[in-house]
Amino acid sequence: DAKTTQPPSMDCAEGRAANLPCNHSTISGNEYVYWYRQIHSQGPQYIIHGLKNNETNEMASLIITEDRKSSTLILPHATLRDTAVYYCIATYTGANSKLTFGKGITLSVRP
Amino acid sequence: EAGVTQFPSHSVIEKGQTVTLRCDPISGHDNLYWYRRVMGKEIKFLLHFVKESKQDESGMPNNRFLAERTGGTYSTLKVQPAELEDSGVYFCASSQGLAALTDTQYFGPGTRLTVL
């Protein structure tokens, strides 16, 4: 799996958009970009994933650059409950799809 | 639809004892994964089942760990004998398998294991 790089932490104000960056410059053509988050010590929660195109679901939007070397997870209206560690993971899907978690980025949403 | 469930949520045992963790995947999911996080470290992959077969057990730390998935449904992870360094949170995840276009893993709440 390609290595991903995320800043260690960031914060944002409640109600504002949180834009979480991720670099994956060595990603291969058939690796997907997945985002998970971990709130306190709960199990990692799936957020969104994408290959080339931008994606949106009820939780977030994922913007992938045209060269696929970086991406941004957007939480459009952050709430206090979004405070968590967010993991960006580049991975194949299929038979050998184990996830490689890094340190992630700690998002702190302030009131 | 029920998510991935794990039992127990917490376990405190003494060094040298045996502990068995259980994971029930989402119904119909062929893939089952075990991960763990030891304190201060990142979440690490342990092993991967496809139905009842071990697809990849490259992350298993040593032969004190034994994972099974008889019948391809729930899985157990046994630690025998437990050592202090086995303390941590053990997560189970499941995914649909090859039938899915992309194979997203969904995680359970974890079992927190403390070895004294």
Side-chain angles (χ1 to χ4, degrees):
Chain A
D1 294 348
K3 179 178 172 60
T4 61
T5 305
Q6 300 176 256
S9 63
M10 67 176 290
D11 64 16
C12 76
E14 188 176 21
R16 304 297 293 269
N19 297 296
L20 286 70
C22 180
N23 287 320
H24 31 79
S25 58
T26 62
I27 195 168
S28 65
N30 52 354
E31 282 185 293
Y32 285 75
V33 178
Y34 272 78
W35 283 83
Y36 284 81
R37 72 181 181 183
Q38 190 175 25
I39 299 173
H40 297 299
S41 298
Q42 298 175 20
Q45 179 188 22
Y46 165 75
I47 302 173
I48 199 168
H49 72 280
L51 183 62
K52 297 179 183 177
N53 300 321
N54 298 337
E55 302 288 341
T56 295
N57 63 20
E58 65 279 4
M59 290 183 67
S61 294
L62 175 60
I63 308 298
I64 303 174
T65 57
E66 192 169 344
D67 63 9
R68 301 208 329 120
K69 292 185 177 182
S70 66
S71 60
T72 301
L73 178 74
I74 301 172
L75 306 178
H77 305 286
T79 70
L80 299 179
R81 288 175 295 179
D82 292 322
T83 293
V85 180
Y86 288 76
Y87 299 96
C88 168
I89 301 170
T91 184
Y92 301 98
T93 67
N96 296 308
S97 54
K98 62 186 178 185
L99 298 176
T100 301
F101 288 83
K103 292 181 171 56
I105 178 172
T106 299
L107 173 66
S108 299
V109 180
R110 61 181 186 276
Chain B
E1 177 183 285
V4 177
T5 58
Q6 293 186 244
F7 182 83
S9 57
H10 293 83
S11 180
V12 180
I13 61 172
E14 294 192 352
K15 176 182 173 181
Q17 290 185 322
T18 298
V19 63
T20 300
L21 314 180
R22 172 171 170 144
C23 168
D24 285 79
I26 293 171
S27 178
H29 280 194
D30 287 340
N31 287 340
L32 188 148
Y33 305 80
W34 285 97
Y35 295 81
R36 77 171 178 179
R37 164 177 252 156
V38 295
M39 191 161 55
K41 302 289 187 180
E42 297 156 16
I43 299 171
K44 294 292 188 185
F45 165 82
L46 295 179
L47 89 158
H48 167 204
F49 284 98
V50 178
K51 298 185 179 178
E52 67 275 8
S53 300
K54 292 177 184 174
Q55 176 76 20
D56 180 357
E57 48 184 330
S58 61
M60 295 287 264
N62 52 61
N63 59 10
R64 295 184 294 102
F65 289 75
L66 175 63
E68 294 180 324
R69 193 183 181 197
T70 307
T73 54
Y74 71 91
S75 174
T76 57
L77 180 64
K78 180 190 288 187
V79 185
Q80 178 181 29
E83 298 289 344
L84 299 178
E85 64 265 25
D86 301 332
S87 295
V89 184
Y90 290 75
F91 296 107
C92 176
S94 72
S95 68
Q96 188 173 355
L98 294 177
L101 180 61
T102 56
D103 205 28
T104 298
Q105 296 180 35
Y106 298 92
F107 283 76
T111 293
R112 180 174 295 278
L113 174 65
T114 302
V115 183
L116 303 175

